[in-house]
Protein backbone atom coordinates (compact mmCIF):
# COMPACT_ATOMS: atom_id res chain seq x y z
CA UNK A 1 0.00 0.00 0.00
CA UNK A 2 1.28 3.45 -0.90
CA UNK A 3 0.11 6.99 -0.25
CA UNK A 4 0.05 8.76 3.13
CA UNK A 5 -0.49 5.45 4.93
CA UNK A 6 2.23 3.57 3.09
CA UNK A 7 3.11 0.30 4.82
CA UNK A 8 6.26 -0.62 2.84
CA UNK A 9 4.82 -4.01 1.86
CA UNK A 10 6.02 -4.64 -1.69
CA UNK A 11 5.70 -7.27 -4.38
CA UNK A 12 7.93 -10.31 -4.01
CA UNK A 13 10.42 -9.59 -6.78
CA UNK A 14 12.85 -11.82 -8.64
CA UNK A 15 15.22 -9.46 -10.44
CA UNK A 16 18.09 -10.52 -12.66
CA UNK A 17 17.64 -14.26 -12.13
CA UNK A 18 19.41 -16.70 -14.49
CA UNK A 19 19.02 -20.47 -14.76
CA UNK A 20 16.68 -20.70 -11.75
CA UNK A 21 13.86 -23.16 -11.04
CA UNK A 22 11.33 -22.29 -8.34
CA UNK A 23 9.36 -25.44 -7.49
CA UNK A 24 6.33 -25.66 -5.23
CA UNK A 25 4.54 -28.96 -5.77
CA UNK A 26 2.14 -29.31 -2.85
CA UNK A 27 2.73 -25.71 -1.75
CA UNK A 28 0.09 -22.98 -1.57
CA UNK A 29 0.63 -19.23 -1.41
CA UNK A 30 -2.29 -17.25 0.03
CA UNK A 31 -2.18 -13.51 -0.52
CA UNK A 32 -3.99 -11.30 1.98
CA UNK A 33 -7.10 -9.86 0.37
CA UNK A 34 -9.29 -8.69 3.26
CA UNK A 35 -9.09 -4.92 2.73
CA UNK A 36 -10.86 -2.10 0.93
CA UNK A 37 -9.49 -0.27 -2.11
CA UNK A 38 -10.42 3.40 -1.71
CA UNK A 39 -10.71 5.90 -4.54
CA UNK A 40 -7.84 7.95 -3.11
CA UNK A 41 -5.37 8.29 -6.00
CA UNK A 42 -6.63 10.51 -8.79
CA UNK A 43 -9.97 9.92 -10.45
CA UNK A 44 -9.74 6.15 -10.97
CA UNK A 45 -6.95 4.70 -8.86
CA UNK A 46 -6.28 3.52 -5.35
CA UNK A 47 -3.21 3.47 -3.14
CA UNK A 48 -4.37 0.10 -1.82
CA UNK A 49 -3.21 -2.91 -3.81
CA UNK A 50 -2.49 -6.59 -3.48
CA UNK A 51 0.99 -8.11 -3.30
CA UNK A 52 2.20 -10.02 -6.36
CA UNK A 53 3.82 -13.24 -5.11
CA UNK A 54 5.96 -13.65 -8.25
CA UNK A 55 7.11 -10.39 -9.87
CA UNK A 56 9.90 -11.41 -12.25
CA UNK A 57 12.07 -8.77 -13.95
CA UNK A 58 15.15 -8.83 -16.18
CA UNK A 59 15.42 -12.61 -15.86
CA UNK A 60 16.03 -15.52 -18.24
CA UNK A 61 16.05 -19.31 -18.34
CA UNK A 62 13.83 -19.71 -15.30
CA UNK A 63 10.90 -21.94 -14.38
CA UNK A 64 8.06 -21.42 -11.90
CA UNK A 65 6.15 -24.65 -11.34
CA UNK A 66 3.86 -26.55 -9.06
CA UNK A 67 2.32 -23.78 -6.93
CA UNK A 68 -1.25 -22.95 -6.03
CA UNK A 69 -1.67 -19.16 -5.77
CA UNK A 70 -4.76 -17.67 -4.13
CA UNK A 71 -5.37 -13.93 -4.29
CA UNK A 72 -8.46 -14.02 -2.05
CA UNK A 73 -10.24 -11.28 -3.99
CA UNK A 74 -13.48 -12.67 -2.59
CA UNK A 75 -12.50 -10.87 0.63
CA UNK A 76 -11.70 -7.53 -1.06
CA UNK A 77 -14.02 -4.58 -1.63
CA UNK A 78 -13.48 -1.34 -3.52
CA UNK A 79 -15.03 2.04 -4.14
CA UNK A 80 -16.99 2.42 -7.35
CA UNK A 81 -14.74 3.54 -10.19
CA UNK A 82 -11.49 2.09 -8.84
CA UNK A 83 -9.63 0.35 -11.66
CA UNK A 84 -7.14 -2.50 -11.49
CA UNK A 85 -3.59 -1.73 -10.37
CA UNK A 86 -1.23 -2.60 -13.25
CA UNK A 87 1.66 -3.08 -10.84
CA UNK A 88 -0.16 -5.17 -8.25
CA UNK A 89 -3.00 -7.58 -7.77
CA UNK A 90 -1.83 -10.40 -10.07
CA UNK A 91 -0.53 -13.87 -9.32
CA UNK A 92 2.49 -13.73 -11.64
CA UNK A 93 3.88 -10.70 -13.48
CA UNK A 94 6.86 -10.89 -15.83
CA UNK A 95 8.75 -8.00 -17.40
CA UNK A 96 11.75 -7.75 -19.71
CA UNK A 97 12.43 -11.49 -19.38
CA UNK A 98 13.07 -14.37 -21.76
CA UNK A 99 13.27 -18.13 -22.20
CA UNK A 100 11.09 -19.09 -19.27
CA UNK A 101 8.38 -21.61 -18.38
CA UNK A 102 5.32 -21.36 -16.15
CA UNK A 103 4.02 -24.89 -15.55
CA UNK A 104 1.67 -26.96 -13.40
CA UNK A 105 0.12 -23.97 -11.66
CA UNK A 106 -3.31 -23.24 -10.22
CA UNK A 107 -3.88 -19.48 -9.91
CA UNK A 108 -7.18 -17.99 -8.80
CA UNK A 109 -9.04 -15.05 -7.23
CA UNK A 110 -6.58 -12.20 -7.87
CA UNK A 111 -7.64 -8.56 -8.06
CA UNK A 112 -6.25 -8.09 -11.57
CA UNK A 113 -4.80 -10.96 -13.63
CA UNK A 114 -3.90 -14.52 -12.86
CA UNK A 115 -0.82 -14.09 -15.07
CA UNK A 116 0.49 -10.95 -16.79
CA UNK A 117 3.17 -11.72 -19.37
CA UNK A 118 5.46 -8.97 -20.59
CA UNK A 119 4.64 -5.88 -18.55
CA UNK A 120 7.69 -4.54 -20.35
CA UNK A 121 8.33 -1.26 -18.52
CA UNK A 122 11.93 -0.16 -19.01
CA UNK A 123 12.25 3.47 -18.08
CA UNK A 124 11.27 7.02 -18.84
CA UNK A 125 12.36 9.07 -21.79
CA UNK A 126 14.15 12.26 -20.88
CA UNK A 127 11.78 15.10 -20.26
CA UNK A 128 8.63 12.96 -20.21
CA UNK A 129 6.23 12.48 -17.35
CA UNK A 130 5.56 9.25 -15.52
CA UNK A 131 2.24 8.51 -17.24
CA UNK A 132 2.03 4.99 -18.63
CA UNK A 133 1.89 6.23 -22.22
CA UNK A 134 5.42 7.63 -21.99
CA UNK A 135 7.17 4.54 -20.66
CA UNK A 136 9.04 2.63 -23.33
CA UNK A 137 8.93 -1.15 -23.34
CA UNK A 138 11.17 -4.16 -23.78
CA UNK A 139 9.19 -7.26 -24.73
CA UNK A 140 9.47 -10.70 -23.17
CA UNK A 141 10.64 -13.46 -25.52
CA UNK A 142 10.26 -17.23 -25.77
CA UNK A 143 7.60 -17.91 -23.15
CA UNK A 144 6.03 -21.31 -22.40
CA UNK A 145 2.86 -21.65 -20.32
CA UNK A 146 1.97 -25.31 -19.83
CA UNK A 147 -0.64 -27.14 -17.76
CA UNK A 148 -1.80 -23.99 -15.99
CA UNK A 149 -5.29 -23.41 -14.58
CA UNK A 150 -6.19 -19.78 -14.01
CA UNK A 151 -9.70 -18.92 -12.82
CA UNK A 152 -11.89 -16.33 -11.07
CA UNK A 153 -9.50 -13.42 -11.46
CA UNK A 154 -11.12 -9.98 -11.50
CA UNK A 155 -9.73 -8.81 -14.84
CA UNK A 156 -8.11 -11.52 -16.99
CA UNK A 157 -6.96 -15.04 -16.32
CA UNK A 158 -4.07 -14.37 -18.69
CA UNK A 159 -2.90 -11.05 -20.14
CA UNK A 160 -0.19 -10.99 -22.80
CA UNK A 161 1.19 -7.45 -23.07
CA UNK A 162 4.61 -6.99 -24.73
CA UNK A 163 5.84 -10.47 -25.68
CA UNK A 164 7.12 -12.26 -28.77
CA UNK A 165 7.07 -16.04 -28.99
CA UNK A 166 4.47 -17.28 -26.51
CA UNK A 167 3.31 -20.91 -26.40
CA UNK A 168 0.27 -21.63 -24.22
CA UNK A 169 -0.63 -25.32 -24.10
CA UNK A 170 -2.80 -27.77 -22.18
CA UNK A 171 -4.14 -24.98 -19.97
CA UNK A 172 -7.54 -23.80 -18.73
CA UNK A 173 -8.77 -20.23 -18.31
CA UNK A 174 -12.23 -19.92 -16.80
CA UNK A 175 -14.61 -17.65 -14.89
CA UNK A 176 -12.59 -14.45 -15.23
CA UNK A 177 -14.62 -11.63 -13.70
CA UNK A 178 -16.41 -13.92 -11.26
CA UNK A 179 -14.76 -13.04 -7.98
CA UNK A 180 -17.04 -14.67 -5.43
CA UNK A 181 -15.65 -17.48 -3.28
CA UNK A 182 -17.28 -20.29 -5.23
CA UNK A 183 -15.75 -21.75 -8.38
CA UNK A 184 -17.01 -23.42 -11.52
CA UNK A 185 -20.54 -23.01 -12.83
CA UNK A 186 -21.81 -21.68 -9.50
CA UNK A 187 -19.45 -18.70 -9.57
CA UNK A 188 -20.91 -15.21 -9.33
CA UNK A 189 -19.50 -11.77 -9.86
CA UNK A 190 -18.82 -11.19 -6.16
CA UNK A 191 -18.61 -8.09 -3.96
CA UNK A 192 -15.37 -6.89 -5.56
CA UNK A 193 -17.06 -7.09 -8.98
CA UNK A 194 -14.85 -7.27 -12.06
CA UNK A 195 -12.50 -5.22 -14.24
CA UNK A 196 -12.81 -5.04 -18.05
CA UNK A 197 -12.19 -6.89 -20.23
CA UNK A 198 -13.03 -9.87 -17.97
CA UNK A 199 -11.34 -12.29 -20.38
CA UNK A 200 -9.90 -15.76 -20.35
CA UNK A 201 -7.02 -14.33 -22.35
CA UNK A 202 -6.42 -10.80 -23.59
CA UNK A 203 -3.54 -10.13 -25.97
CA UNK A 204 -3.31 -6.40 -25.31
CA UNK A 205 -0.02 -4.64 -26.03
CA UNK A 206 0.27 -1.21 -24.49
CA UNK A 207 2.09 0.10 -27.55
CA UNK A 208 3.34 -0.64 -31.03
CA UNK A 209 6.93 -0.34 -32.17
CA UNK A 210 9.17 2.25 -30.60
CA UNK A 211 10.15 4.90 -33.13
CA UNK A 212 11.39 8.47 -33.02
CA UNK A 213 7.77 9.55 -33.48
CA UNK A 214 6.56 7.09 -30.82
CA UNK A 215 9.34 6.83 -28.23
CA UNK A 216 7.06 5.09 -25.75
CA UNK A 217 6.72 2.00 -27.94
CA UNK A 218 8.17 -1.51 -27.68
CA UNK A 219 11.38 -2.91 -29.13
CA UNK A 220 9.31 -5.53 -31.02
CA UNK A 221 5.64 -6.08 -31.78
CA UNK A 222 3.77 -8.67 -29.75
CA UNK A 223 3.37 -11.79 -31.85
CA UNK A 224 4.03 -15.44 -32.59
CA UNK A 225 1.44 -16.31 -29.94
CA UNK A 226 0.12 -19.87 -30.07
CA UNK A 227 -2.67 -21.54 -28.09
CA UNK A 228 -2.83 -25.31 -28.41
CA UNK A 229 -5.10 -27.75 -26.55
CA UNK A 230 -6.38 -25.03 -24.23
CA UNK A 231 -9.84 -24.45 -22.72
CA UNK A 232 -11.47 -21.01 -22.37
CA UNK A 233 -14.77 -21.30 -20.56
CA UNK A 234 -17.47 -19.05 -19.11
CA UNK A 235 -15.31 -15.98 -18.64
CA UNK A 236 -17.56 -13.04 -17.93
CA UNK A 237 -17.00 -10.79 -20.93
CA UNK A 238 -14.60 -12.41 -23.42
CA UNK A 239 -13.20 -15.88 -23.81
CA UNK A 240 -10.37 -14.70 -26.07
CA UNK A 241 -9.83 -11.12 -27.21
CA UNK A 242 -7.21 -9.08 -29.06
CA UNK A 243 -8.42 -5.91 -30.73
CA UNK A 244 -5.25 -3.93 -31.54
CA UNK A 245 -4.02 -5.40 -34.83
CA UNK A 246 -1.49 -2.63 -35.38
CA UNK A 247 0.45 -4.00 -32.38
CA UNK A 248 -0.02 -7.80 -32.73
CA UNK A 249 1.57 -9.65 -35.64
CA UNK A 250 0.16 -13.17 -35.43
CA UNK A 251 -1.95 -15.48 -33.26
CA UNK A 252 -2.69 -19.18 -33.79
CA UNK A 253 -5.52 -21.08 -32.07
CA UNK A 254 -5.07 -24.83 -32.56
CA UNK A 255 -7.30 -27.59 -31.15
CA UNK A 256 -8.76 -25.42 -28.39
CA UNK A 257 -12.20 -25.34 -26.76
CA UNK A 258 -13.91 -21.96 -26.46
CA UNK A 259 -17.17 -22.08 -24.51
CA UNK A 260 -19.60 -19.51 -23.16
CA UNK A 261 -22.80 -20.97 -21.76
CA UNK A 262 -23.00 -19.31 -18.32
CA UNK A 263 -26.42 -17.88 -17.53
CA UNK A 264 -24.86 -14.87 -15.79
CA UNK A 265 -22.69 -13.98 -18.80
CA UNK A 266 -22.22 -10.36 -19.78
CA UNK A 267 -25.50 -9.38 -21.50
CA UNK A 268 -23.71 -7.81 -24.47
CA UNK A 269 -20.44 -9.67 -25.02
CA UNK A 270 -19.18 -13.07 -24.05
CA UNK A 271 -17.35 -14.61 -26.95
CA UNK A 272 -14.31 -14.50 -29.18
CA UNK A 273 -12.74 -11.46 -30.86
CA UNK A 274 -9.17 -12.09 -32.00
CA UNK A 275 -7.96 -9.65 -34.65
CA UNK A 276 -4.18 -9.75 -35.14
CA UNK A 277 -2.44 -8.88 -38.37
CA UNK A 278 -2.42 -12.60 -39.18
CA UNK A 279 -4.70 -15.10 -37.49
CA UNK A 280 -5.12 -18.86 -37.95
CA UNK A 281 -8.00 -20.38 -35.96
CA UNK A 282 -8.37 -24.05 -36.76
CA UNK A 283 -9.48 -27.48 -35.54
CA UNK A 284 -11.13 -25.94 -32.49
CA UNK A 285 -14.52 -26.33 -30.83
CA UNK A 286 -16.74 -23.32 -30.12
CA UNK A 287 -19.84 -23.65 -27.90
CA UNK A 288 -21.97 -20.55 -27.30
CA UNK A 289 -25.18 -20.10 -25.35
CA UNK A 290 -27.77 -17.37 -25.91
CA UNK A 291 -27.18 -15.24 -22.80
CA UNK A 292 -25.08 -12.55 -24.52
CA UNK A 293 -26.25 -10.53 -27.51
CA UNK A 294 -22.84 -10.95 -29.13
CA UNK A 295 -21.79 -14.06 -27.30
CA UNK A 296 -19.99 -15.88 -30.08
CA UNK A 297 -17.51 -15.07 -32.83
CA UNK A 298 -17.24 -11.32 -33.30
CA UNK A 299 -15.48 -9.24 -35.92
CA UNK A 300 -16.30 -5.56 -35.82
CA UNK A 301 -16.48 -3.30 -38.88
CA UNK A 302 -14.19 -0.70 -37.34
CA UNK A 303 -11.13 -2.95 -37.16
CA UNK A 304 -8.16 -1.31 -38.91
CA UNK A 305 -8.21 -2.67 -42.45
CA UNK A 306 -4.72 -1.48 -43.26
CA UNK A 307 -3.12 -3.62 -40.55
CA UNK A 308 -4.91 -6.98 -41.00
CA UNK A 309 -3.33 -9.17 -43.65
CA UNK A 310 -4.95 -12.58 -43.32
CA UNK A 311 -7.49 -13.97 -40.86
CA UNK A 312 -8.83 -17.50 -41.37
CA UNK A 313 -11.26 -19.81 -39.54
CA UNK A 314 -11.00 -23.36 -40.86
CA UNK A 315 -11.89 -26.91 -39.80
CA UNK A 316 -13.65 -25.77 -36.63
CA UNK A 317 -16.91 -26.98 -35.09
CA UNK A 318 -19.39 -24.37 -33.84
CA UNK A 319 -22.39 -25.21 -31.66
CA UNK A 320 -24.63 -22.17 -31.29
CA UNK A 321 -27.76 -21.49 -29.25
CA UNK A 322 -28.41 -18.46 -31.43
CA UNK A 323 -27.80 -17.79 -35.10
CA UNK A 324 -26.22 -14.51 -33.98
CA UNK A 325 -23.46 -16.58 -32.41
CA UNK A 326 -21.35 -15.76 -35.46
CA UNK A 327 -21.11 -12.06 -36.33
CA UNK A 328 -18.35 -11.45 -38.87
CA UNK A 329 -18.67 -8.06 -40.50
CA UNK A 330 -15.55 -7.19 -42.46
CA UNK A 331 -16.83 -3.94 -43.91
CA UNK A 332 -13.30 -2.71 -44.58
CA UNK A 333 -12.64 -5.53 -47.08
CA UNK A 334 -10.22 -7.30 -44.77
CA UNK A 335 -9.12 -10.71 -46.13
CA UNK A 336 -11.18 -12.85 -43.77
CA UNK A 337 -11.75 -16.51 -44.70
CA UNK A 338 -14.35 -18.91 -43.28
CA UNK A 339 -13.78 -22.32 -44.84
CA UNK A 340 -14.32 -26.02 -44.08
CA UNK A 341 -16.17 -25.47 -40.80
CA UNK A 342 -19.22 -27.20 -39.32
CA UNK A 343 -21.83 -24.87 -37.81
CA UNK A 344 -24.66 -26.36 -35.72
CA UNK A 345 -27.44 -23.91 -34.83
CA UNK A 346 -30.21 -24.66 -32.37
CA UNK A 347 -31.59 -21.31 -31.34
CA UNK A 348 -33.04 -21.21 -27.84
CA UNK A 349 -33.52 -17.50 -27.35
CA UNK A 350 -32.45 -14.73 -29.72
CA UNK A 351 -33.87 -16.44 -32.79
CA UNK A 352 -34.76 -13.22 -34.63
CA UNK A 353 -31.09 -12.31 -35.19
CA UNK A 354 -29.47 -14.02 -38.14
CA UNK A 355 -25.88 -15.11 -38.54
CA UNK A 356 -23.80 -12.47 -40.32
CA UNK A 357 -20.94 -13.29 -42.69
CA UNK A 358 -20.50 -9.87 -44.30
CA UNK A 359 -17.85 -8.87 -46.81
CA UNK A 360 -15.66 -11.93 -46.38
CA UNK A 361 -13.00 -13.02 -48.85
CA UNK A 362 -14.19 -16.63 -48.86
CA UNK A 363 -16.98 -18.72 -47.38
CA UNK A 364 -16.44 -22.18 -48.83
CA UNK A 365 -17.09 -25.86 -48.12
CA UNK A 366 -18.83 -25.26 -44.80
CA UNK A 367 -21.75 -27.26 -43.41
CA UNK A 368 -24.56 -25.35 -41.69
CA UNK A 369 -27.00 -27.52 -39.71
CA UNK A 370 -30.08 -25.58 -38.57
CA UNK A 371 -32.25 -27.31 -35.97
CA UNK A 372 -35.88 -26.25 -36.13
CA UNK A 373 -36.66 -27.26 -32.56
CA UNK A 374 -35.40 -24.10 -30.90
CA UNK A 375 -36.82 -21.42 -33.19
CA UNK A 376 -40.07 -19.86 -32.06
CA UNK A 377 -40.44 -17.30 -34.85
CA UNK A 378 -43.49 -18.30 -36.90
CA UNK A 379 -42.73 -16.19 -39.97
CA UNK A 380 -43.23 -18.03 -43.25
CA UNK A 381 -39.65 -17.26 -44.25
CA UNK A 382 -36.98 -16.54 -41.66
CA UNK A 383 -33.45 -15.39 -42.51
CA UNK A 384 -30.89 -17.41 -40.57
CA UNK A 385 -27.76 -16.43 -42.49
CA UNK A 386 -27.00 -13.19 -44.30
CA UNK A 387 -23.88 -12.73 -46.44
CA UNK A 388 -23.97 -9.05 -47.35
CA UNK A 389 -21.37 -8.27 -50.01
CA UNK A 390 -18.11 -10.01 -50.76
CA UNK A 391 -14.79 -8.42 -49.89
CA UNK A 392 -13.78 -8.01 -53.54
CA UNK A 393 -14.54 -9.19 -57.05
CA UNK A 394 -12.44 -12.28 -56.34
CA UNK A 395 -14.39 -13.23 -53.20
CA UNK A 396 -16.21 -16.54 -53.17
CA UNK A 397 -19.22 -18.23 -51.60
CA UNK A 398 -19.05 -21.76 -52.86
CA UNK A 399 -19.57 -25.40 -52.00
CA UNK A 400 -21.47 -24.85 -48.73
CA UNK A 401 -24.18 -27.21 -47.50
CA UNK A 402 -27.28 -26.03 -45.60
CA UNK A 403 -29.51 -28.57 -43.88
CA UNK A 404 -32.57 -28.34 -41.63
CA UNK A 405 -35.20 -30.58 -40.10
CA UNK A 406 -37.81 -27.83 -40.46
CA UNK A 407 -41.00 -29.12 -42.09
CA UNK A 408 -44.37 -27.79 -43.19
CA UNK A 409 -44.88 -24.48 -44.97
CA UNK A 410 -42.14 -22.49 -43.24
CA UNK A 411 -38.67 -21.98 -44.69
CA UNK A 412 -35.28 -20.82 -43.53
CA UNK A 413 -33.57 -18.37 -45.86
CA UNK A 414 -29.93 -17.91 -46.80
CA UNK A 415 -29.55 -14.31 -47.99
CA UNK A 416 -26.86 -13.87 -50.64
CA UNK A 417 -25.44 -10.59 -51.96
CA UNK A 418 -27.59 -8.80 -54.53
CA UNK A 419 -27.16 -10.21 -58.05
CA UNK A 420 -24.88 -12.94 -56.71
CA UNK A 421 -25.18 -16.36 -58.36
CA UNK A 422 -24.30 -19.13 -55.86
CA UNK A 423 -21.91 -21.83 -57.04
CA UNK A 424 -22.26 -25.44 -55.97
CA UNK A 425 -24.39 -24.56 -52.94
CA UNK A 426 -26.52 -27.41 -51.54
CA UNK A 427 -29.82 -27.20 -49.61
CA UNK A 428 -31.49 -30.05 -47.71
CA UNK A 429 -34.93 -29.67 -46.13
CA UNK A 430 -36.90 -26.43 -45.89
CA UNK A 431 -34.00 -24.10 -46.49
CA UNK A 432 -33.73 -21.88 -49.54
CA UNK A 433 -31.20 -19.51 -51.03
CA UNK A 434 -32.14 -15.94 -51.95
CA UNK A 435 -30.17 -13.34 -53.77
CA UNK A 436 -31.03 -10.06 -52.11
CA UNK A 437 -34.42 -8.81 -53.31
CA UNK A 438 -34.90 -11.96 -55.40
CA UNK A 439 -37.65 -14.59 -54.98
CA UNK A 440 -36.86 -17.95 -53.37
CA UNK A 441 -35.48 -20.68 -55.58
Amino acid sequence: MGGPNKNNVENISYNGCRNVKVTGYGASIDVFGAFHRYLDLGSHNSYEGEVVPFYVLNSSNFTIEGFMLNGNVQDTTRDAGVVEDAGAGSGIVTSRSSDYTLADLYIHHFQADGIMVGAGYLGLNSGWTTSSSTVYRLADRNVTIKNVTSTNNARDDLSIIQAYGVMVEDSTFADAGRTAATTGTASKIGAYRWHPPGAGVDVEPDAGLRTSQHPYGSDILTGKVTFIHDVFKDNYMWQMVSAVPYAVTDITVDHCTIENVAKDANPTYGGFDLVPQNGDIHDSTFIFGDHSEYGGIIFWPNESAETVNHLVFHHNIFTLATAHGIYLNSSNNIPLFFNDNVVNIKATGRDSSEMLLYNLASVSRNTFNIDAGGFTNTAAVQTVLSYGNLASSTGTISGNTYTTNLSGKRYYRIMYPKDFVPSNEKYTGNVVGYASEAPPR
Side-chain angles (χ1 to χ4, degrees):
M1 183 173 70
N5 298 314
K6 185 176 181 179
N7 60 10
N8 296 314
V9 176
E10 298 182 351
N11 297 325
I12 301 173
S13 296
Y14 296 75
N15 196 340
C17 296
R18 304 287 185 270
N19 305 310
V20 172
K21 180 179 285 189
V22 184
T23 299
Y25 290 98
S28 299
I29 298 176
D30 276 85
V31 179
F32 181 74
F35 60 90
H36 186 81
R37 299 189 65 213
Y38 295 96
L39 186 60
D40 53 12
L41 177 59
S43 59
H44 299 290
N45 295 292
S46 173
Y47 282 117
E48 294 76 30
E50 186 175 48
V51 169
V52 178
F54 288 99
Y55 200 104
V56 186
L57 305 93
N58 306 308
S59 298
S60 63
N61 295 296
F62 65 87
T63 297
I64 300 173
E65 62 182 6
F67 289 93
M68 183 180 77
L69 308 178
N70 183 359
N72 289 297
V73 69
Q74 73 276 3
D75 298 329
T76 313
T77 55
R78 62 185 170 105
D79 287 345
V82 171
V83 300
E84 73 278 5
D85 186 341
S90 296
I92 298 175
V93 176
T94 66
S95 183
R96 312 187 302 273
S97 296
S98 64
D99 302 293
Y100 60 87
T101 297
L102 309 177
D104 304 333
L105 300 165
Y106 175 34
I107 305 170
H108 63 102
H109 286 92
F110 278 86
Q111 293 171 12
D113 302 334
I115 302 172
M116 177 187 286
V117 170
Y121 301 124
L122 184 61
L124 298 175
N125 295 296
S126 177
W128 291 58
T129 67
T130 56
S131 67
S132 62
S133 64
T134 64
V135 180
Y136 63 97
R137 280 93 170 160
L138 192 65
D140 283 20
R141 285 170 168 79
N142 304 326
V143 180
T144 298
I145 298 173
K146 184 176 178 63
N147 193 32
V148 168
T149 296
S150 181
T151 72
N152 298 96
N153 301 291
R155 188 175 75 154
D156 301 329
D157 290 330
L158 170 64
S159 291
I160 298 174
I161 312 300
Q162 308 297 153
Y164 185 83
V166 182
M167 172 66 72
V168 184
E169 54 185 322
D170 301 318
S171 295
T172 297
F173 306 94
D175 289 310
R178 293 186 172 85
T179 55
T182 55
T183 59
T185 56
S187 296
K188 301 299 180 183
I189 300 304
Y192 185 81
R193 301 180 301 280
W194 65 290
H195 295 298
V201 62
D202 183 11
V203 183
E204 54 163 338
D206 289 327
L209 282 177
R210 186 185 185 202
T211 65
S212 57
Q213 290 77 28
H214 301 285
Y216 50 83
S218 176
D219 64 318
I220 191 172
L221 291 179
T222 292
K224 199 177 179 182
V225 179
T226 299
F227 301 94
I228 182 168
H229 299 131
D230 298 316
V231 175
F232 303 87
K233 183 176 180 181
D234 291 342
N235 299 287
Y236 181 65
M237 190 165 182
W238 296 105
Q239 308 313 306
M240 306 183 76
V241 63
S242 181
V244 284
Y246 74 90
V248 180
T249 60
D250 54 300
I251 298 175
T252 298
V253 179
D254 178 1
H255 286 87
C256 291
T257 298
I258 299 93
E259 181 174 353
N260 174 33
V261 297
K263 292 182 179 180
D264 62 344
N266 184 282
T268 304
Y269 306 111
F272 179 100
D273 183 17
L274 284 186
V275 190
Q277 294 173 19
N278 298 281
D280 185 1
I281 299 96
H282 67 91
D283 294 289
S284 293
T285 299
F286 295 81
I287 303 170
F288 297 126
D290 66 348
H291 307 295
S292 302
E293 182 177 0
Y294 301 101
I297 304 294
I298 306 295
F299 187 91
W300 290 111
N302 61 348
E303 305 292 0
S304 301
E306 68 276 8
T307 57
V308 178
N309 301 316
H310 189 267
L311 187 60
V312 57
F313 293 85
H314 65 99
H315 298 95
N316 302 293
I317 298 176
F318 300 87
T319 299
L320 311 175
T322 168
H324 216 172
I326 296 181
Y327 186 99
L328 300 178
N329 185 356
S330 178
S331 64
N332 288 326
N333 294 332
I334 293 172
L336 199 162
F337 301 80
F338 192 86
N339 299 330
D340 302 294
N341 302 288
V342 175
V343 181
N344 302 308
I345 307 169
K346 185 172 182 179
T348 57
R350 302 174 187 270
D351 59 349
S352 61
S353 299
E354 69 266 26
M355 183 186 307
L356 301 182
L357 297 174
Y358 277 18
N359 307 304
L360 272 61
S362 174
V363 183
S364 300
R365 303 177 303 278
N366 301 287
T367 298
F368 298 90
N369 300 311
I370 309 159
D371 192 309
F375 285 93
T376 58
N377 193 321
T378 58
V381 179
Q382 179 178 351
T383 301
V384 293
L385 170 57
S386 184
Y387 281 115
N389 297 315
L390 289 169
S392 67
S393 59
T394 60
T396 59
I397 301 173
S398 176
N400 300 292
T401 299
Y402 312 88
T403 68
T404 183
N405 55 359
L406 183 67
S407 59
K409 297 182 179 181
R410 294 179 59 230
Y411 286 84
Y412 292 143
R413 171 172 57 191
I414 310 301
M415 183 70 78
Y416 293 97
K418 185 177 181 180
D419 301 324
F420 179 80
V421 179
S423 173
N424 300 317
E425 299 277 90
K426 299 177 182 179
Y427 313 95
T428 301
N430 286 19
V431 59
V432 293
Y434 281 56
S436 183
E437 300 181 10
R441 291 189 294 277

